[in-house]
């Protein structure tokens, strides 16, 4: 939960053509959200249909 709920960062690299000097700037790309139900992935609907209702969706993904 602590690791996956952190934002994803990238680096923008800019080169000065005159001097050839590069500068690096950290940039936030995405805020990630990880919730407890994400520990178990949902079962594909096609798989549930193949089993004629005997296979149930993962409890946290039922809605």
């Amino acid at each position: 939960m602590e690791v996956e709920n952190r934002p994803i960062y990238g680096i923008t690299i800019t080169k000065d053509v005159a001097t050839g000097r590069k500068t690096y700037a950290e940039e936030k790309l995405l805020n990630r959200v990880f919730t407890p139900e994400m520990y178990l992935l949902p079962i594909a609907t096609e798989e549930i249909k193949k089993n004629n209702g005997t296979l149930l969706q993962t409890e946290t993904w039922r809605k």
Side-chain angles (χ1 to χ4, degrees), residues 1-56:
M1 294 292 293
E2 294 167 13
V3 174
E4 296 297 327
N5 276 315
R6 294 182 183 165
I8 296 175
Y9 287 91
I11 295 182
T12 301
I13 304 170
T14 307
K15 181 178 180 181
D16 185 336
V17 180
T19 62
R21 184 169 185 247
K22 296 177 187 170
T23 56
Y24 303 89
E26 190 176 81
E27 176 183 356
K28 188 188 308 185
L29 301 176
L30 177 68
N31 280 323
R32 293 190 300 181
V33 177
F34 185 86
T35 57
E37 58 264 6
M38 293 178 171
Y39 281 111
L40 295 174
L41 296 175
I43 299 170
T45 305
E46 299 81 33
E47 296 301 319
I48 294 172
K49 288 178 182 177
K50 285 181 192 176
N51 288 283
N52 298 319
T54 57
L55 181 64
L56 297 176

